[in-house]
Amino acid sequence: MGRIPDLPCDIEQVVDLLGIEVIRDTGTQLHCRCPFCADRKAHMNVKIRNNVFRCNRCGKGGGILHLYAEYCDVNLHTAYEELCKIFGPDGGEPVRKCKRKPRSIETVELPIASAEVRDNTYSNLLSLLTLCPTHQSALKERGLKSEEMELLCYRTTPTTRLKRIVTELLERGCILDGVPGFYCQKDSGQWVLDIRGSGIMLPDRNLLGQIEAIQVRLDKVYNQKFYNLTSVDQYYGTQSKCCPHYVGVHEGDEVVCLTEGVMKSDLAYSFAQGSPYECGFVGLTGIPSYSQYERALEELDSIGVKRINVMVDSDYQVKEEVRKARDRYIEMGAAAGFEMAPITWTQKWKGVDDLYKHLFRNK
């Protein structure tokens, strides 16, 4: 398992050291009770290979040093020194030890399938589904027209006929191996569609228009509005991997707009079509999402884009984490040679989709 250079321990050892309770161990990930919030389940996910953690409940995350520093209430420098002292060749006895049972790997995670395979399987999956009246009404309230919903291929997560849907996909020749959201039952060998929450399915499309992932906008929101279709931790399952979402972006375009979210990008582009502000959008599936942004910068450069209008939510003016991400996006884009144009509007409209609906769709 990988280790950070010059750090004589990995994140699994630090989890043991701190006595963080592990609820489930898949061999590649630890699902733990988060020690930083009132977590009664196992919202903290620790990726052993990458030496990183994140709590899906409170949002805390980072690497080995961040975990130790946050838990012990010390800075990163002190965390580094203490871990080196504990785990180094002359290290002393850790203050706290927690022995866990030896790991038994019960799942086999498949490598993610190619973009072409995922696009074919997801396209066929969406063709078998519909958008329920409740979701149609909700999207109309957001400003979308029926024909726009169909064009975007928005669908309602299925709650019945799951076996029949999987059978139909296989009969069509679709590959399910390595496609996030599908896994194989260990005892029967049957493929299963893993739906982890009801809501609206949103295709996450790359620059070529291929569906690389599917986001689900949840009907019932607890700490997050979206989750990505995944089958991680299932037998022959696969972890989701989103891409920068492109809508209305074409080779030769000199200007694009940058925002957060698949739906936000889709709505804003739909509202602006036919107006003087019509412009393609790139949506990052989360704030911050620097690795996606790096990919987007390379792809935008390859098609000749010169300027990026940064249109993250207006709450960057009051939320420090959003402001930092916005500033970093501007810095990275400028370093890559783009003209960066930060766009600001009143907090009366949080997202660019809300702003554009007010400007174009409501008039």
Side-chain angles (χ1 to χ4, degrees), residues 200-260:
I200 304 174
M201 302 172 74
L202 315 170
D204 179 18
R205 298 183 182 274
N206 62 24
L207 187 57
L208 299 177
Q210 297 169 324
I211 305 174
E212 288 198 21
I214 290 180
Q215 275 199 332
V216 177
R217 190 183 195 282
L218 292 165
D219 293 329
K220 295 182 179 179
V221 177
Y222 177 55
N223 278 310
Q224 55 186 25
K225 293 181 181 179
F226 301 89
Y227 84 92
N228 303 322
L229 198 64
T230 183
S231 48
V232 68
D233 298 333
Q234 300 284 12
Y235 189 68
Y236 279 133
T238 306
Q239 184 171 337
S240 64
K241 185 177 181 180
C242 290
C243 65
H245 175 67
Y246 295 89
V247 54
V249 178
H250 309 95
E251 187 166 359
D253 289 349
E254 292 192 357
V255 182
V256 299
C257 298
L258 177 74
T259 191
E260 53 185 285

Side-chain angles (χ1 to χ4, degrees), residues 12-21 35 68 71-72 83 86-87 92-99:
E12 188 176 14
Q13 290 173 296
V14 174
V15 167
D16 284 339
L17 170 69
L18 300 177
I20 295 173
E21 186 175 0
Y68 185 88
Y71 189 94
C72 298
L83 288 176
I86 293 170
F87 291 102
E93 283 293 313
V95 176
R96 184 179 185 186
K97 285 186 177 180
C98 176
K99 292 188 178 289

Side-chain angles (χ1 to χ4, degrees), residues 68-79:
Y68 185 88
E70 184 73 28
Y71 189 94
C72 298
D73 194 22
V74 297
N75 60 37
L76 294 179
H77 179 73
T78 302

Side-chain angles (χ1 to χ4, degrees), residues 25 52 57 81 113 128 215 229 245 260 281 285 294 327 341:
D25 187 336
V52 295
R57 187 173 188 272
E81 290 185 335
L128 296 172
Q215 275 199 332
L229 198 64
H245 175 67
E260 53 185 285
F281 271 82
T285 55
E294 287 178 349
D327 291 347

Side-chain angles (χ1 to χ4, degrees), residues 111-142:
I112 196 164
S114 68
E116 290 76 15
V117 168
R118 280 177 279 158
D119 176 59
N120 181 65
T121 299
Y122 287 145
S123 296
N124 276 278
L125 170 62
L126 295 175
S127 74
L128 296 172
L129 306 177
T130 59
L131 192 62
C132 74
T134 300
H135 287 155
Q136 290 183 40
S137 297
L139 289 170
K140 285 181 180 178
E141 286 292 319
R142 294 289 298 269

Side-chain angles (χ1 to χ4, degrees), residues 20 58 61-62 68 93 134 137-138 159 166 170 176 184 211 217 252 260 277 318 323 325 327 340 352-353 362:
I20 295 173
C58 68
Y68 185 88
E93 283 293 313
T134 300
S137 297
T159 55
V166 170
L170 292 172
L176 306 185
C184 188
I211 305 174
R217 190 183 195 282
E260 53 185 285
Y277 293 89
V318 293
R323 183 193 63 78
D327 291 347
M340 303 301 294
V352 62
D353 54 332
N362 288 345

